[in-house]
Coordinates of all heavy atoms in Angstrom, one line a residue:
Chain D
V22 N -34.5 92.1 -186.8 CA -35.8 91.5 -186.7 C -36.7 91.9 -187.8 O -36.7 93.2 -188.1 CB -36.5 91.8 -185.3 CG1 -37.9 91.2 -185.3 CG2 -35.6 91.2 -184.2
L23 N -37.4 91.0 -188.5 CA -38.3 91.4 -189.5 C -39.7 91.1 -189.0 O -40.0 90.0 -188.6 CB -38.1 90.6 -190.8 CG -36.7 90.6 -191.4 CD1 -36.7 89.7 -192.7 CD2 -36.3 92.0 -191.7
D24 N -40.6 92.1 -189.0 CA -41.9 91.9 -188.5 C -42.7 90.9 -189.4 O -43.5 90.2 -188.9 CB -42.7 93.2 -188.6 CG -42.2 94.2 -187.5 OD1 -41.6 93.7 -186.5 OD2 -42.4 95.4 -187.6
K25 N -42.4 90.9 -190.7 CA -43.1 89.9 -191.5 C -42.1 89.6 -192.7 O -41.8 90.5 -193.5 CB -44.4 90.5 -192.1 CG -45.3 89.5 -192.8 CD -46.6 90.0 -193.2 CE -47.4 89.0 -193.9 NZ -48.7 89.5 -194.3
G26 N -41.7 88.4 -192.8 CA -40.8 88.0 -193.9 C -40.4 86.6 -193.8 O -41.2 85.7 -193.2
G27 N -39.2 86.2 -194.2 CA -38.9 84.8 -194.2 C -37.5 84.6 -194.8 O -36.7 85.5 -195.0
V28 N -37.2 83.3 -195.2 CA -36.0 82.9 -195.7 C -36.2 82.1 -197.0 O -37.2 81.4 -197.1 CB -35.1 82.1 -194.7 CG1 -34.8 82.9 -193.5 CG2 -35.8 80.8 -194.4
A29 N -35.2 82.1 -197.8 CA -35.1 81.2 -199.0 C -33.9 80.4 -198.8 O -32.8 80.9 -198.4 CB -35.1 82.0 -200.3
V30 N -34.1 79.0 -199.0 CA -33.0 78.1 -198.7 C -32.6 77.4 -200.0 O -33.5 76.9 -200.8 CB -33.5 77.0 -197.7 CG1 -32.4 75.9 -197.5 CG2 -33.8 77.7 -196.4
A31 N -31.3 77.3 -200.3 CA -30.8 76.5 -201.4 C -29.6 75.7 -201.0 O -28.7 76.3 -200.3 CB -30.5 77.5 -202.5
G32 N -29.6 74.4 -201.4 CA -28.4 73.6 -201.1 C -28.1 73.5 -199.6 O -26.9 73.5 -199.2
G33 N -29.2 73.5 -198.8 CA -29.0 73.4 -197.3 C -28.5 74.6 -196.6 O -28.4 74.7 -195.4
R34 N -28.3 75.7 -197.4 CA -27.9 77.0 -196.8 C -29.0 78.1 -197.0 O -29.8 78.0 -197.9 CB -26.6 77.4 -197.4 CG -25.5 76.3 -197.1 CD -24.1 76.9 -197.1 NE -23.1 75.9 -196.8 CZ -22.1 76.1 -195.9 NH1 -22.0 77.2 -195.2 NH2 -21.2 75.1 -195.7
I35 N -28.9 79.1 -196.2 CA -29.8 80.2 -196.3 C -29.3 81.1 -197.5 O -28.1 81.5 -197.5 CB -29.8 81.1 -195.0 CG1 -30.4 80.2 -193.9 CG2 -30.6 82.4 -195.2 CD1 -30.3 80.8 -192.5
A36 N -30.2 81.3 -198.4 CA -29.8 82.1 -199.6 C -30.2 83.6 -199.4 O -29.5 84.5 -199.7 CB -30.5 81.6 -200.9
H37 N -31.4 83.8 -198.8 CA -31.9 85.1 -198.6 C -32.7 85.2 -197.3 O -33.3 84.2 -196.9 CB -32.8 85.5 -199.7 CG -32.2 85.5 -201.1 ND1 -31.4 86.4 -201.6 CD2 -32.4 84.6 -202.1 CE1 -31.0 86.1 -202.8 NE2 -31.6 85.0 -203.1

Side-chain angles (χ1 to χ4, degrees):
Chain D
V22 172
L23 305 181
D24 288 341
K25 189 173 179 184
V28 299
V30 175
R34 300 206 178 226
I35 295 170
H37 304 283

